[in-house]
Amino acid sequence: MKNKIESLKEDIKNFEISDEKELEAFRLEFLSRNGRVQKMFGMMGEVPNNEKAEVGKAMNEAKNLAQKKFDDKKEELNSEAEVSFAATDDISLPVEPSYTGSYHPLTQALNEIKQIFLRLGFNIADGPELEDDFHNFTALNFPPDHPARDMQDTFFVRKSDDPKKEDHVLRTHTSPVQIRLMKEQKPPVRSIMPGRVFRNEAVTAKSYFQFNQVEGLYVNERVTLGELIETLVMFAKLMYGSDVKYRVRPSFFPFTEPSLEMDVWWQSDKGGQWLEILGAGMVDPNVFKAVDIDPEKYTGFAFGMGVDRIAMLRYGIDDIRVLYDNDIRFLEQFNS
Ligand code: DAH
């Protein structure tokens, strides 16, 4: 028995441990529940009583030897790992900047617009991009032969096999959401309606087949043109600063009467110019009739603005196409 213990001690001493794998092999061979040290303790019954004390002491020595070798090697390997980390990676070097992502300039402009109108007491609504002729044109008082219905401006969509039933369109503006809202909700209505719109136009630096609008609508008893203008001026000041130079001029839209447009003065290094930022007007009584609201009882104002134009002015972008290319080199510049 004593010899067995001696040879076990020798094996423990001679076992080579130079990495984690060998450390684990050592543990399995000697220290685990089925390891050689435990097996030896299991043989204690065979030892004559008068030798038990001495053999037990030798066994404990073997066990402690194995445990100490394991602990020491483990610590040694851990500190080596730290040393090799410090040798290859200079942790005092400055970290390479990483791109963390950012909001698209259109999203940033849209968020600003939303914040302003939420402050002015409007809520936010939306509607579908695939519209029918009724919501996109008819209910908005477009006469049947109005040029905006022309194939050149509108993407027509056929939903059934019947070639005569081309009565769906990709919405050409966000104004149809006004119609949906007024059909669902009785006045007072005070909402903005952001969304993507589509026009069948040639793609150039100035025009694209899709862009973004924010529609606005306020319907109540005794809403006036003065309130409309007041709201738009407030918007222009909050968006462009209180010293913004603006003007309001008469215009025409089928769904408003009277109608107007708002321009802001834009100063760049190349000079200054008036830029149209939105169309607006008092809701036409024919629009109220299309949605069963009594035009004798209620009045309202509406407006529609282009988000792309606002983003382009804000960031000095002169080609609308870059807003839709998703080129990461462009987008990275808006990491605010
Ligand atoms: N829908 C018009 C467009 O796409 C913009 C517009 C003008 C919206 C006047 C309105 C409005 O609500 O009152 O050009």
Side-chain angles (χ1 to χ4, degrees):
M1 192 70 196
K2 276 188 208 150
N3 289 344
K4 276 190 187 154
I5 296 173
E6 275 317 304
S7 81
L8 174 64
K9 279 180 165 176
E10 280 308 300
D11 288 349
I12 290 171
K13 280 183 204 154
N14 294 336
F15 198 102
E16 292 261 353
I17 303 175
S18 55
D19 58 24
E20 294 282 341
K21 239 170 112 182
E22 286 167 1
L23 182 70
E24 177 63 5
F26 177 85
R27 189 188 68 81
L28 287 172
E29 176 159 352
F30 297 105
L31 291 169
S32 65
R33 204 173 334 147
N34 299 320
R36 287 171 62 186
V37 172
Q38 271 309 318
K39 279 207 182 106
M40 217 174 44
F41 277 106
M43 295 189 303
M44 200 63 172
E46 298 164 24
V47 179
N49 274 348
N50 60 347
E51 288 177 26
K52 271 201 164 96
E54 202 186 335
V55 170
K57 201 174 149 219
M59 280 186 187
N60 273 327
E61 273 169 23
K63 184 185 158 198
N64 291 339
L65 187 73
Q67 189 65 52
K68 187 166 181 338
K69 178 159 176 163
F70 178 82
D71 292 343
D72 289 352
K73 278 287 170 192
K74 191 173 174 174
E75 208 183 301
E76 196 180 307
L77 285 173
N78 279 349
S79 62
E80 265 173 30
E82 272 164 37
V83 169
S84 68
F85 167 75
T88 52
D89 298 304
D90 181 352
I91 54 167
S92 68
L93 282 175
V95 179
E96 247 190 53
S98 64
Y99 178 57
T100 52
S102 58
Y103 285 113
H104 192 281
L106 282 173
T107 307
Q108 292 187 27
L110 182 60
N111 284 345
E112 269 186 61
I113 297 170
K114 282 185 190 167
Q115 284 310 319
I116 291 172
F117 283 105
L118 287 172
R119 238 173 104 178
L120 297 178
F122 286 73
N123 60 23
I124 299 174
D126 63 7
E129 292 176 351
L130 182 63
E131 268 297 2
D132 52 32
D133 181 272
F134 173 78
H135 288 88
N136 198 79
F137 295 124
T138 306
L140 288 162
N141 199 32
F142 280 83
D145 54 355
H146 194 280
R149 296 181 181 219
D150 198 287
M151 291 294 275
Q152 277 173 3
D153 296 314
T154 307
F155 288 112
F156 290 91
V157 178
R158 195 192 303 158
K159 276 187 87 182
S160 73
D161 290 336
D162 182 352
K164 286 192 212 99
K165 275 199 171 162
E166 278 187 345
D167 61 347
H168 280 75
V169 299
L170 292 182
R171 66 178 177 196
T172 57
H173 51 177
T174 42
S175 303
V177 191
Q178 288 185 32
I179 302 299
R180 293 185 177 273
L181 204 60
M182 286 189 285
K183 281 207 301 192
E184 261 168 36
Q185 190 188 326
K186 290 298 142 204
V189 174
R190 201 199 313 226
S191 302
I192 57 164
M193 297 145 262
R196 191 155 55 137
V197 304
F198 307 85
R199 301 257 173 107
N200 194 358
E201 280 181 38
V203 171
T204 69
K206 297 277 167 256
S207 69
Y208 206 65
F209 58 84
Q210 64 173 15
F211 50 98
N212 291 271
Q213 291 188 332
V214 173
E215 194 78 14
L217 178 70
Y218 176 41
V219 180
N220 207 343
E221 290 176 33
R222 291 184 296 276
V223 177
T224 66
L225 181 64
E227 281 172 282
L228 168 59
I229 293 172
E230 187 71 10
T231 303
L232 298 180
V233 169
M234 188 74 98
F235 167 74
K237 287 186 171 172
L238 290 170
M239 191 75 198
Y240 297 100
S242 52
D243 54 351
V244 63
K245 212 167 123 190
Y246 61 87
R247 70 179 183 193
V248 169
R249 15 175 209 90
S251 183
F252 173 80
F253 301 100
F255 36 92
T256 45
E257 181 59 34
S259 303
L260 57 89
E261 279 173 324
M262 186 180 218
D263 303 332
V264 298
W265 181 256
W266 193 256
Q267 191 72 45
S268 71
D269 1 324
K270 295 173 203 124
Q273 57 178 322
W274 285 112
L275 285 175
E276 179 212 319
I277 58 160
L278 56 84
M282 302 305 290
V283 178
D284 193 291
N286 285 340
V287 173
F288 281 142
K289 283 178 203 153
V291 293
D292 286 328
I293 288 179
D294 181 0
E296 299 298 327
K297 185 166 180 209
Y298 293 105
T299 54
F301 66 67
F303 55 85
M305 62 181 72
V307 182
D308 303 61
R309 162 71 64 85
I310 290 173
M312 288 168 77
L313 286 180
R314 164 69 41 102
Y315 301 112
I317 299 165
D318 53 14
D319 188 331
I320 186 171
R321 291 170 291 196
V322 299
L323 291 176
Y324 298 94
D325 284 347
N326 285 330
D327 184 331
I328 200 82
R329 291 165 303 178
F330 167 75
L331 297 172
E332 272 174 352
Q333 298 171 44
F334 300 93
N335 201 358
S336 57

